[in-house]
Amino acid sequence: VVAHGTTIHSGDVQADKRYLSAFAEIHSGLYVPLMIGERAIGSISVESRQADRFSANDERLLQTLAAQSAIAIENARLYQEAVKAEKRKSALHQGGLEIVRAGHDIDALCKAVHQAVQQVMPAEFFVVSLITEDGRMVEAPYLYDRGVILPNTRLPVEAGITGRVIKTEKPLLIKDIQKSRGVKPIMVDG
């Protein structure tokens, strides 16, 4: 239904090859896509233990309800996205204010940045890394791991992901570090 955006009306679902039998006692079904323009966003399914339970009139009624429901669901989804975006925007603004308030204190700045990040995304591990003046080392004045602030750590610029990001001056998104090729995490004892 969702894949093709078409209604399926079956008087005997057990004989219909498209039906994935989850309940052996179900015999008839009416399945209507929830459509936004040409895009299916879901479906409404009505099933019965009685064979040939649904009429053409039932199908028209369910299609009307599905059309209205699709609009309401899409509006709710868009509203939730707008609320979420506004919360993120507000959190970023508040985080920016906290960063400005931190002034010239590196520790306070790092903590303010961490708090701002936590407002908009999960951050069970968070590091602020800075390159040393000679450009050969990366230090982490703020290293947070699951609720614990760890001591400052120094590593050669060539080592680890942070060094790569600093050298390339480009962000790096790693979805699963265990499966990433050419990326080796560096373990820091805390």
Side-chain angles (χ1 to χ4, degrees):
V1 173
V2 175
H4 301 288
T6 56
T7 296
I8 294 175
H9 183 171
S10 178
D12 184 7
V13 295
Q14 299 300 331
D16 192 326
K17 292 178 183 176
R18 299 170 294 185
Y19 183 71
L20 298 175
S21 184
F23 304 101
E25 66 272 9
I26 298 299
H27 289 284
S28 59
L30 183 54
Y31 311 92
V32 178
L34 295 168
M35 301 293 293
I36 297 296
E38 298 296 315
R39 179 174 55 100
I41 63 166
S43 69
I44 295 177
S45 303
V46 181
E47 297 175 320
S48 176
R49 290 182 175 92
Q50 179 183 337
D52 295 313
R53 170 63 181 88
F54 304 106
S55 66
N57 194 38
D58 292 330
E59 183 176 333
R60 283 189 298 280
L61 176 64
L62 194 58
Q63 286 173 330
T64 300
L65 289 170
Q68 294 169 347
S69 298
I71 293 167
I73 289 167
E74 186 68 5
N75 285 343
R77 186 182 293 170
L78 291 172
Y79 177 76
Q80 288 173 348
E81 286 176 13
V83 167
K84 186 176 179 181
E86 183 57 35
K87 284 181 181 178
R88 288 176 68 103
K89 183 179 170 185
S90 176
L92 288 172
H93 176 71
Q94 187 61 36
L97 292 175
E98 293 299 321
I99 291 166
V100 169
R101 282 189 202 114
H104 301 292
D105 180 352
I106 294 284
D107 290 336
L109 280 166
C110 291
K111 186 173 184 178
V113 171
H114 182 211
Q115 289 173 345
V117 167
Q118 283 185 310
Q119 294 296 313
V120 295
M121 68 184 72
E124 62 188 52
F125 186 78
F126 180 84
V127 181
V128 173
S129 300
L130 303 171
I131 194 162
T132 57
E133 286 187 36
D134 64 10
R136 295 191 322 218
M137 300 292 284
V138 174
E139 64 177 357
Y142 190 85
L143 190 75
Y144 173 92
D145 186 5
R146 295 170 295 221
V148 178
I149 304 291
L150 300 172
N152 190 338
T153 303
R154 287 179 151 229
L155 298 169
V157 157
E158 299 81 30
I161 298 165
T162 301
R164 180 189 294 184
V165 170
I166 290 170
K167 285 193 298 188
T168 63
E169 298 179 354
K170 294 185 174 156
L172 177 64
L173 173 64
I174 300 171
K175 294 188 182 232
D176 186 343
I177 201 158
Q178 303 303 326
K179 295 179 181 176
S180 295
R181 293 183 184 165
V183 176
K184 295 180 183 174
I186 296 174
M187 301 304 182
V188 177
D189 295 328

